């Protein structure tokens, strides 16, 4: 058997109530016995008093010792009055007479005083000759007998000794009945208290058992458990506290799971970014290395190819420089930069003027509608955002197209472009999104999105068949 709290309570209650019952029974028995003895002593005192009054009346006016001259009458009368056996002894210790109630079988069977007894052979007679009353109880097979002996002195003259033998069986039977009744009542009371204690203990241990089951479920990873509350006492408070703790653990676990997924996602992004950066760096370096090997050959003399190679090397060098610049920008995103109130319209207008030379080859123009819009952020970061967006619009616009820029509560940049691949639309703000040679981009939009969100803004893109629109909103 497992030594559970419930079993501990059960054993403790059983031992406690058993000991209490035994102690209570002993105490009741002792109390009843003392009360019975006191009652017998009072009865014997009354018997002695009544007997002496009777003997004084009979001895009054007589010179002879009535215990000897009227022994039969005295013994019979006293036996009739007190319903006891009465034995008379003279002053010399000689047995004189005994009267026994004929209706008392027990006293008839216990009669002993029908012959002379030496004084020294009976302790009670010795006490009586020493002028002392005495009694003792005798348990016999059929009941309980009390022997009461006292000396008879009338007007200072010692007449003899009286010995009463009484049947007190009914008194002790009544005492035993009362003790048994009290014991039975005590047992019933203790059993009732024991049952109530077990019920209360079960009410205490049952919620604890339920909490244990809930704990086992939680330890196995199940946090969607309900803790029942069935009382408004300390156990109920414990259930409430446990529920609060469970909710906190559940929320903390969910947060840890979210954080873990974010870490996994960031690690995947880091790995993907590293692989893409490696690829993007390798491509221009391979091109530059290839052309350098060709034109560096000692027998090379093709002037036209040399010009073409120089142009490609220059272009790949610029591409490599732009890529490194973007990577440096990403590495500085976490730095704290000084912020001021900046007019967005002025920044965009300046950037558009700088792009005029680049747009001449494709015959692209700007359509500007600029309202004053001030934002609190670092001016260089704001310039980087719109340089990336406008450069992206110029790079992917059709020839003879118009790039529309609207600044009001938000900033909208719209340009006409070739149809985009579905996968490209879904991954516009991811780094190094590459579907094919046409549908691909590097870090520009990714960096732009990071800078916008870093400053508490939002950016979204609307793509249709032949148009691309970006909308940026800042907190003003």
């Amino acid at each position: 058997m497992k030594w559970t709290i419930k079993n501990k309570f059960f054993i403790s209650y059983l031992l406690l109530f058993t000991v209490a019952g035994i102690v209570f029974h002993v105490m009741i028995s002792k109390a009843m016995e003392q009360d019975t003895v006191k009652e017998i002593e009072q009865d014997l005192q009354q018997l002695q008093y009544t007997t002496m009054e009777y003997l004084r009346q009979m001895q009054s006016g007589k010179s002879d010792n009535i215990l000897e001259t009227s022994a039969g009458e005295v013994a019979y009368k006293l036996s009739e009055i007190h319903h006891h056996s009465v034995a008379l002894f003279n002053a010399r210790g000689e047995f004189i007479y005994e009267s026994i109630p004929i209706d008392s079988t027990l006293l008839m069977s216990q009669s002993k005083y029908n012959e002379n007894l030496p004084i020294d052979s009976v302790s009670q007679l010795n006490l009586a000759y020493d002028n002392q009353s005495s009694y003792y109880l005798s348990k016999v097979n059929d009941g309980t007998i009390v022997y009461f002996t006292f000396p008879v002195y009338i007007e200072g003259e010692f007449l003899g000794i009286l010995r009463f033998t009484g049947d007190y069986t009914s008194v002790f039977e009544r005492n035993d009945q009362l003790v048994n009744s009290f014991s039975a009542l005590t047992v019933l009371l203790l059993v009732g208290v024991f049952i109530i204690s077990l019920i209360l203990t079960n009410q205490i241990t049952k919620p604890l058992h339920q909490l244990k089951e809930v704990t086992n479920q939680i330890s196995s990873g199940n946090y969607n458990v309900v803790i029942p509350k069935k009382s408004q006492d300390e156990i109920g408070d414990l259930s409430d506290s446990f529920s609060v703790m469970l909710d906190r653990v559940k929320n903390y676990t969910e947060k840890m799971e979210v954080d873990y997924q974010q870490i996994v996602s960031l690690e995947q992004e880091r790995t993907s970014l590293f692989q893409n950066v490696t690829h993007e760096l390798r491509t221009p370096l391979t091109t530059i290395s290839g052309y350098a090997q060709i034109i560096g050959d000692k027998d090379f003399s093709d002037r036209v190819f040399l010009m073409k190679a120089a142009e490609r090397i220059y272009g790949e060098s610029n591409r490599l420089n732009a890529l490194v610049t973007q990577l440096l920008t990403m590495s500085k995103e976490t730095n704290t930069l000084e912020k001021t109130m900046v007019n967005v319209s002025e920044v965009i207008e300046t950037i558009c003027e700088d792009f005029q030379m680049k747009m001449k080859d494709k015959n692209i123009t700007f359509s500007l509608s600029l309202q004053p819009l001030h934002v609190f952020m670092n001016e260089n970061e704001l310039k980087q955002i719109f340089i990336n967006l406008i450069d992206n619009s110029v790079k992917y616009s059709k020839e003879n197209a118009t790039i529309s820029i609207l600044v009001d509560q938000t900033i909208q940049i719209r340009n006409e472009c070739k149809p985009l691949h579905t996968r490209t639309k879904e991954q516009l703000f991811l780094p190094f999104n590459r579907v094919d040679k046409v549908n691909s981009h590097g870090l520009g939009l990714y960096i732009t999105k990071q800078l916008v969100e870093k400053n508490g803004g939002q950016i979204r893109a609307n793509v249709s068949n032949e148009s691309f629109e970006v909308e940026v909103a800042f907190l003003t």
Side-chain angles (χ1 to χ4, degrees):
M1 180 179 67
K2 187 177 181 180
W3 196 241
T4 61
I5 294 178
K6 186 175 181 180
N7 292 335
K8 290 178 183 178
F9 272 115
F10 177 81
I11 299 298
S12 300
Y13 288 149
L14 184 61
L15 293 175
L16 175 63
F17 291 137
T18 300
V19 172
I22 294 174
V23 171
F24 190 76
H25 175 77
V26 172
M27 292 177 62
I28 290 295
S29 299
K30 290 291 184 182
M32 293 300 298
E33 182 179 353
Q34 292 175 359
D35 186 68
T36 301
V37 170
K38 185 177 180 180
E39 181 183 349
I40 291 174
E41 290 177 348
Q42 291 176 350
D43 184 61
L44 295 178
Q45 289 175 1
Q46 183 64 31
L47 181 148
Q48 183 179 7
Y49 175 78
T50 304
T51 299
M52 291 303 298
E53 287 297 320
Y54 172 75
L55 293 176
R56 287 190 185 96
Q57 291 179 6
M58 287 192 66
Q59 186 68 39
S60 177
K62 297 179 181 179
S63 59
D64 297 332
N65 185 346
I66 60 172
L67 294 184
E68 294 183 0
T69 58
S70 304
E73 180 185 357
V74 171
Y76 176 77
K77 192 63 178 178
L78 290 176
S79 177
E80 184 182 19
I81 293 173
H82 299 295
H83 202 68
H84 282 54
S85 292
V86 181
L88 280 67
F89 297 85
N90 61 22
R92 297 179 298 276
E94 297 172 344
F95 173 76
I96 301 174
Y97 193 85
E98 182 178 13
S99 177
I100 304 173
I102 60 175
D103 58 346
S104 177
T105 306
L106 181 63
L107 295 180
M108 290 289 291
S109 64
Q110 297 297 318
S111 176
K112 298 179 180 179
Y113 308 108
N114 52 6
E115 57 183 9
N116 294 337
L117 294 175
I119 293 178
D120 293 338
S121 65
V122 182
S123 60
Q124 283 190 303
L125 294 179
N126 292 334
L127 291 173
Y129 275 100
D130 289 337
N131 197 21
Q132 297 182 42
S133 300
S134 64
Y135 76 93
Y136 77 92
L137 302 176
S138 176
K139 296 287 184 179
V140 295
N141 294 333
D142 298 327
T144 304
I145 291 178
V146 176
Y147 298 96
F148 180 45
T149 306
F150 60 91
V152 178
Y153 283 88
I154 297 178
E155 295 180 356
E157 182 181 357
F158 178 55
L159 302 181
I161 298 172
L162 289 179
R163 181 158 187 165
F164 287 83
T165 304
D167 183 3
Y168 282 84
T169 302
S170 61
V171 175
F172 283 93
E173 286 180 347
R174 183 193 62 188
N175 177 64
D176 292 339
Q177 289 177 357
L178 288 174
V179 171
N180 293 334
S181 298
F182 276 116
S183 298
L185 181 62
T186 302
V187 170
L188 290 176
L189 179 62
L190 292 178
V191 168
V193 175
F194 181 74
I195 293 174
I196 293 174
S197 300
L198 288 181
I199 294 174
L200 293 177
T201 302
N202 186 64
Q203 294 297 319
I204 295 173
T205 57
K206 186 177 181 180
L208 295 178
H209 180 72
Q210 292 175 339
L211 289 178
K212 177 179 175 294
E213 294 297 327
V214 170
T215 304
N216 291 337
Q217 294 186 47
I218 294 174
S219 63
S220 63
N222 180 20
Y223 297 97
N224 298 317
V225 292
V226 179
I227 303 175
K229 179 181 179 181
K230 297 183 179 180
S231 60
Q232 300 297 325
D233 52 14
E234 291 82 357
I235 298 296
D237 294 339
L238 177 61
S239 298
D240 289 338
S241 300
F242 201 90
S243 297
V244 172
M245 182 190 70
L246 177 60
D247 291 338
R248 291 180 179 177
V249 171
K250 181 179 179 181
N251 293 335
Y252 183 73
T253 304
E254 291 176 349
K255 183 177 181 299
M256 289 182 61
E257 182 65 24
V258 172
D259 292 342
Y260 173 75
Q261 294 299 329
Q262 290 179 347
I263 292 173
V264 172
S265 178
L266 289 174
E267 180 62 20
Q268 292 175 346
E269 290 182 6
R270 186 192 68 80
T271 303
S272 177
L273 179 62
F274 177 79
Q275 293 173 348
N276 289 327
V277 167
T278 303
H279 175 76
E280 292 295 327
L281 289 174
R282 184 184 297 114
T283 301
L285 289 175
T286 300
T287 302
I288 293 173
S289 176
Y291 279 109
Q293 290 179 6
I294 294 174
I295 63 177
D297 190 276
K298 61 181 180 179
D299 296 328
F300 179 80
S301 59
D302 189 340
R303 179 77 179 173
V304 175
F305 186 84
L306 178 62
M307 295 300 296
K308 179 181 178 181
E311 183 179 352
R312 290 297 304 278
I313 290 174
Y314 178 75
E316 293 299 327
S317 298
N318 288 337
R319 179 184 171 191
L320 188 60
N321 179 67
L323 183 59
V324 172
T325 301
Q326 289 177 336
L327 290 174
L328 290 174
T329 301
M330 286 180 59
S331 67
K332 295 178 181 179
E333 282 184 5
T334 57
N335 295 339
T336 302
L337 302 176
E338 183 181 357
K339 295 183 179 182
T340 58
M341 293 299 297
V342 185
N343 190 330
V344 177
S345 295
E346 292 180 355
V347 171
I348 291 177
E349 186 173 14
T350 301
I351 294 173
C352 290
E353 291 175 355
D354 294 339
F355 270 88
Q356 291 294 336
M357 294 299 297
K358 189 174 182 179
M359 295 166 56
K360 285 184 178 180
D361 295 339
K362 300 178 67 174
N363 195 25
I364 298 174
T365 59
F366 286 115
S367 175
L368 305 178
S369 177
L370 308 178
Q371 301 297 324
L373 176 63
H374 294 82
V375 295
F376 184 73
M377 63 182 296
N378 180 262
E379 184 174 359
N380 290 329
E381 289 185 344
L382 183 65
K383 288 181 179 180
Q384 184 65 47
I385 290 172
F386 290 108
I387 287 174
N388 291 344
L389 292 178
I390 295 174
D391 180 65
N392 189 73
S393 297
V394 172
K395 185 183 298 182
Y396 295 102
S397 290
K398 298 178 179 179
E399 294 186 358
N400 303 316
T402 299
I403 299 175
S404 300
I405 302 177
L406 171 64
V407 178
D408 194 358
Q409 298 297 320
T410 62
I411 304 97
Q412 299 175 7
I413 302 176
R414 184 178 182 278
N415 64 284
E416 296 178 359
C417 63
K418 296 179 180 179
L420 298 179
H421 193 279
T422 302
R423 181 178 165 187
T424 302
K425 296 178 183 179
E426 296 172 352
Q427 302 178 353
L428 282 171
F429 295 104
L430 295 179
F432 299 110
N433 176 21
R434 178 178 295 275
V435 178
D436 49 40
K437 293 183 178 180
V438 177
N439 292 280
S440 62
H441 61 267
L443 293 169
L445 290 178
Y446 173 77
I447 294 174
T448 300
K449 184 175 184 296
Q450 298 299 314
L451 291 174
V452 170
E453 292 179 350
K454 173 186 174 182
N455 288 277
Q458 295 179 344
I459 183 171
R460 62 186 182 89
N462 297 319
V463 182
S464 60
N465 289 335
E466 295 186 355
S467 66
F468 182 86
E469 180 180 288
V470 176
E471 182 176 8
V472 180
F474 291 106
L475 295 177
T476 58

